[in-house]
Amino acid sequence: MKKLITAEDLTQIVSVSHPVYSPDGKKAVFTKVSVNEKKDDYNIHLWVRDEERGELSQWTFDDGKHHQPAWSKDGKQLAFILQKPKEVPQLALIQSDGGGIRTLTNIPYGVSQPVFSPDGAFIYAAVSLKQEESVHDEKKEERDDFAPAVYDDLTYKADGRGFLDGRLTQIVKIDVRSGEVEMVTSESHHHVNHVVSPCGKWLAYIQSNPQTFYISDICLLSLEDGTSKKITQSTGAYTTVSFSPNGESLLYIGHEREFENATFLSLWLHDLKEKKTVQLSEMLDMYVGNCMAGDSVMGEANQLPQWTKDSQGFYALVSDQGSTGIYYFSIEGLAYPVRLEAEHVTNFSLHPDESKMLISRLSPVSPSELYELTLGESSLKQITFEHDDFLKEHVISEPEPISFQSKEGDIVHGWLMKPAQMEEGKTYPLILEIHGGPHAMYGHTYFHEFQMLAAEGYAIVYINPHGSHGYGQMFTDRVRGSYGDVDYEDVMLAVDHVLEAYDFLDETRLGVTGGSYGGFMTNWIVGQTDRFRAAVTQRSISNWISFYGISDIGYFFTKWQIDGDIYDSVDKLWDRSPLKYVKQVNTPLLILHSDEDYRCPVDQGEQLFVALKELGKDTRLVKFPKASHDLSRSGHPGQRIQRLTFIQEWFREKLS
């Protein structure tokens, strides 16, 4: 008899990701992220596949996080970031022919993003420093918890990092033999996602001003004389940069903010000799990158495009219509899908002989595993089998695709997940799930929350309404300035569509939930209709006026998304605020919020709770201490289980 999935089963989910072939193609390293035995944190371990024997071996064992692996060009050394429990991350090395781990740095402020120089003599890495701090400090200064905090800048806090203290991300150069550390950058900017040119003479990176972090530039620094120059014009936002193998071109991913944060990421190619830039993906109305919403992927790394040896093309991730896969792009701008199936590819590595790839992949009925893809073939060879026993022992519900026409005439896509166990002639409650963003995408991935609810006896409908990625730039941009209009129509039409299409659904037992923007939509829905018998709002927005000043992104996000500000558009912000309609709420509402959520701060949930409670409405507030906006995806394992349990019990009580 197979078991039904529970909230606690979350601890059995392993993220297998970040494959990287060695330069000679004889080995491939990858990471496994799992919940530790105490269930209070995660372990990340390095595993290596011997490509000739097909054997897997574990290279790191102790508790902690061993990740961001990088091979030296000769393949003899593997650098990675080692973070022991309750310690800051440091740079470590391991020899590919065996031997123990050698910790190379002892920088009290931590290290990240290791990149080898072509000759293997140095590693370039990132360090977060205040102006008065040095990589040669022996320890951090003791913090006075009672000292006043003084801020002069607009950007003074960030979700997941808390209240900022003036630290900037700088690039350092570390001697592999001696461990000696030398500063490479020192400007009052952040310098991230650096790469070294094949000749070893140049460093490319993304630079941003901490006060306008939503604007960034691609920069090139000479490692010979220390001079630097901007490739871009301080008008866009960029995420990734890489050199072509011949060193003649810079490829970077980003956009020029034509639709602010709703703008699709694009591919840009800069000729270093001619100093000319072309947009390669201009005719491709797809999102370059991975924008999949989910709760079962942890420890993901930034995916660099993978160049072919002849420098005439490269492979990159692309998201489209609920799938995330791999496209090939030529430097002339031609593009075709290498693999774009009903699945979620998170990372990949191209073998040096260009015959195959290793990909980390999820499907709607399986968490992530590692697979081998032979180029030119459609079948996959599975490499890891982390979830075989889990999938054999449990009932997994497979979602069915749905589609319907919106009121504006567009086709809206989504899925209906049936209850894990069903009896003939019996009817079942339906829960509407709404993703965050709003510019994210539901799709063909494993979603543990959905599987748990299906095991509880619910059907789940989830769609990509207007505002979602994956359906073209205009579809994504449509929701800006009109939250609660066309998007509200879409999700309500989705409910109507499945109620008509599936006769086992009980239209009198409807639930709704979502997080972030999905939390806003949940709040909005219960203020507009009484159709739902129960609702759970998570890390939500209830008041755009207060959000403007208390969110780490409020002052620009509100302008971009609601098209208003607190100076000249207060009426518009209030009109789009769910709090305005609180007297109309009759649906029992559970409010889940993280205490240290600086993206959608906890006061958003508290304001809503106080108003509902004062009016005598059926509501409950649950706060998670020390948790951030990312609780459901990468938070404390115990709190993630508790969050799922609260959702489960609320719907169980209200929809029975």
Side-chain angles (χ1 to χ4, degrees):
M1 185 75 176
K2 286 192 173 184
K3 296 182 286 187
L4 294 172
I5 288 178
T6 66
E8 290 77 11
D9 287 329
L10 185 74
T11 61
Q12 296 188 50
I13 304 300
V14 177
S15 281
V16 184
S17 63
H18 199 189
V20 185
Y21 279 112
S22 61
D24 60 9
K26 293 181 179 180
K27 292 183 174 67
V29 64
F30 60 95
T31 60
K32 288 185 185 180
V33 188
S34 58
V35 176
N36 67 11
E37 289 186 3
K38 294 180 181 178
K39 298 183 181 180
D40 63 355
D41 202 353
Y42 303 92
N43 284 329
I44 306 179
H45 286 300
L46 298 178
W47 284 69
V48 172
R49 183 185 189 224
D50 186 304
E51 290 294 308
E52 294 174 345
R53 300 190 189 95
E55 296 175 353
L56 302 180
S57 57
Q58 185 171 350
W59 276 25
T60 62
F61 296 89
D62 293 337
D63 279 355
K65 298 176 175 65
H66 311 72
H67 58 138
Q68 301 179 30
W71 294 101
S72 60
K73 192 173 182 180
D74 61 11
K76 293 181 179 180
Q77 298 182 95
L78 183 69
F80 62 94
I81 298 302
L82 167 59
Q83 184 174 11
K84 297 179 181 179
K86 299 181 180 180
E87 293 186 16
V88 297
Q90 300 293 347
L91 178 64
L93 277 176
I94 193 167
Q95 302 299 312
S96 60
D97 57 0
I101 295 172
R102 176 187 166 210
T103 303
L104 204 58
T105 59
N106 186 27
I107 299 173
Y109 313 106
V111 186
S112 64
Q113 303 175 40
V115 177
F116 269 101
S117 62
D119 61 7
F122 301 98
I123 294 172
Y124 295 91
V127 177
S128 183
L129 296 172
K130 293 182 185 179
Q131 192 170 9
E132 66 272 16
E133 292 174 342
S134 167
V135 291
H136 303 295
D137 292 345
E138 293 185 2
K139 63 178 182 177
K140 284 185 181 180
E141 287 185 17
E142 292 294 327
R143 190 179 73 177
D144 181 358
D145 292 335
F146 295 95
V150 179
Y151 301 103
D152 295 313
D153 299 318
L154 186 59
T155 302
Y156 65 95
K157 62 182 176 180
D159 186 64
R161 295 171 59 194
F163 287 85
L164 306 179
D165 52 8
R167 293 180 182 277
L168 297 169
T169 304
Q170 304 290 359
I171 301 169
V172 297
K173 176 182 176 182
I174 302 160
D175 188 297
V176 171
R177 288 189 176 181
S178 67
E180 184 180 337
V181 182
E182 176 186 335
M183 297 295 298
V184 176
T185 63
S186 57
E187 296 176 84
S188 56
H189 292 83
H190 291 295
H191 309 77
V192 299
N193 295 347
H194 56 275
V195 289
V196 185
S197 65
C199 65
K201 296 179 180 180
W202 300 92
L203 198 69
Y205 51 85
I206 296 164
Q207 176 179 289
S208 65
N209 184 319
Q211 299 315 309
T212 53
F213 63 88
Y214 47 84
I215 296 174
S216 56
D217 282 296
I218 304 297
C219 293
L220 196 62
L221 182 144
S222 168
L223 293 172
E224 294 182 324
D225 62 19
T227 59
S228 65
K229 58 182 177 180
K230 291 181 181 179
I231 303 297
T232 50
Q233 306 302 315
S234 301
T235 55
Y238 301 93
T239 62
T240 304
V241 60
S242 69
F243 285 95
S244 60
N246 61 14
E248 295 178 1
S249 302
L250 267 183
L251 171 68
Y252 49 92
I253 299 175
H255 59 73
E256 284 294 305
R257 297 179 54 220
E258 296 93 333
F259 305 94
E260 297 298 358
N261 65 320
T263 314
F264 275 17
L265 293 175
S266 296
L267 294 161
W268 307 79
L269 192 68
H270 178 78
D271 188 308
L272 290 165
K273 290 182 179 178
E274 301 293 329
K275 298 181 181 179
K276 293 180 179 179
T277 303
V278 294
Q279 184 179 353
L280 291 180
S281 55
E282 189 172 7
M283 304 305 293
L284 186 75
D285 196 15
M286 293 183 183
Y287 184 93
V288 177
N290 175 9
C291 59
M292 188 79 76
D295 66 353
S296 302
V297 175
M298 297 168 287
E300 280 306 298
N302 188 38
Q303 176 64 57
L304 285 175
Q306 303 278 296
W307 281 90
T308 54
K309 289 181 291 187
D310 60 9
S311 297
Q312 297 303 299
F314 55 88
Y315 299 88
L317 287 178
V318 168
S319 297
D320 187 51
Q321 300 196 33
S323 295
T324 300
I326 303 168
Y327 261 63
Y328 171 81
F329 296 87
S330 74
I331 59 173
E332 285 82 24
L334 299 175
Y336 65 83
V338 174
R339 184 171 179 86
L340 192 64
E341 305 291 336
E343 63 191 10
H344 178 196
V345 176
T346 61
N347 287 116
F348 68 94
S349 182
L350 176 66
H351 192 276
D353 70 9
E354 300 177 9
S355 65
K356 60 184 180 179
M357 290 180 173
L358 281 177
I359 66 172
S360 50
R361 167 192 179 272
L362 300 87
S363 79
V365 294
S366 174
S368 65
E369 300 284 5
L370 197 65
Y371 298 82
E372 183 179 88
L373 170 66
T374 300
L375 294 178
E377 297 182 7
S378 59
S379 60
L380 293 175
K381 177 184 177 183
Q382 190 167 342
I383 303 300
T384 62
F385 300 87
E386 291 296 315
H387 304 99
D388 269 20
D389 290 342
F390 176 78
L391 296 176
K392 288 174 185 175
E393 294 170 359
H394 289 83
V395 181
I396 306 294
S397 183
E398 185 167 1
E400 299 177 3
I402 61 169
S403 63
F404 56 90
Q405 190 174 58
S406 73
K407 289 186 177 180
E408 297 193 344
D410 297 312
I411 299 300
V412 176
H413 288 104
W415 294 265
L416 188 283
M417 185 179 285
K418 293 179 179 178
Q421 291 183 330
M422 297 178 64
E423 296 177 22
E424 189 71 30
K426 188 176 179 180
T427 60
Y428 295 87
L430 173 69
I431 294 175
L432 168 66
E433 287 266 8
I434 307 171
H435 68 60
H439 311 305
M441 178 184 78
Y442 274 146
H444 303 288
T445 192
Y446 179 85
F447 219 119
H448 192 75
E449 178 180 327
F450 296 178
Q451 292 292 343
M452 181 203 74
L453 291 172
E456 189 72 11
Y458 305 112
I460 301 97
V461 60
Y462 52 107
I463 68 165
N464 286 319
H466 283 85
S468 303
H469 278 320
Y471 301 90
Q473 179 65 79
M474 292 303 102
F475 189 92
T476 299
D477 189 58
R478 175 62 182 84
V479 76
R480 286 200 308 135
S482 60
Y483 275 30
D485 290 337
V486 65
D487 46 358
Y488 172 69
E489 292 174 355
D490 286 349
V491 296
M492 297 306 289
L493 280 172
V495 173
D496 293 338
H497 175 79
V498 296
L499 286 175
E500 184 176 349
Y502 297 90
D503 59 8
F504 60 83
L505 297 176
D506 184 348
E507 65 179 4
T508 69
R509 291 189 290 161
L510 303 180
V512 58
T513 186
S516 197
Y517 161 81
F520 159 82
M521 280 299 297
T522 300
N523 297 341
W524 183 262
I525 285 169
V526 297
Q528 306 298 315
T529 179
D530 292 341
R531 285 188 72 182
F532 295 89
R533 192 189 284 188
V536 181
T537 185
Q538 308 170 53
R539 56 191 187 282
S540 70
I541 297 168
S542 66
N543 182 351
W544 287 108
I545 298 172
S546 60
F547 178 85
Y548 194 96
I550 60 171
S551 167
D552 63 345
I553 62 172
Y555 58 95
F556 61 85
F557 185 88
T558 309
K559 284 185 261 191
W560 292 354
Q561 292 290 319
I562 309 301
D563 192 27
D565 58 38
I566 57 174
Y567 314 107
D568 303 310
S569 325
V570 171
D571 289 346
K572 183 173 186 178
L573 298 189
W574 184 239
D575 190 58
R576 294 292 101 181
S577 296
L579 197 62
K580 176 182 177 179
Y581 309 97
V582 71
K583 287 185 177 180
Q584 300 169 199
V585 175
N586 295 310
T587 305
L589 182 64
L590 174 65
I591 302 168
L592 303 181
H593 225 111
S594 296
D595 242 351
E596 295 182 10
D597 186 338
Y598 296 118
R599 184 61 38 87
C600 297
V602 70
D603 95 295
Q604 295 291 302
E606 291 172 337
Q607 288 183 65
L608 187 59
F609 174 73
V610 168
L612 288 169
K613 210 69 181 172
E614 187 180 26
L615 292 169
K617 310 286 186 175
D618 186 357
T619 187
R620 180 179 297 152
L621 172 65
V622 178
K623 298 200 297 180
F624 295 88
K626 300 183 180 179
S628 73
H629 192 67
D630 215 34
L631 168 65
S632 66
R633 298 175 285 264
S634 61
H636 183 284
Q639 288 188 328
R640 291 177 69 199
I641 293 169
Q642 290 171 328
R643 169 190 162 272
L644 289 172
T645 302
F646 278 115
I647 296 170
Q648 178 188 53
E649 292 178 347
W650 186 260
F651 283 136
R652 185 184 292 168
E653 176 189 344
K654 305 300 181 182
L655 296 181
S656 59

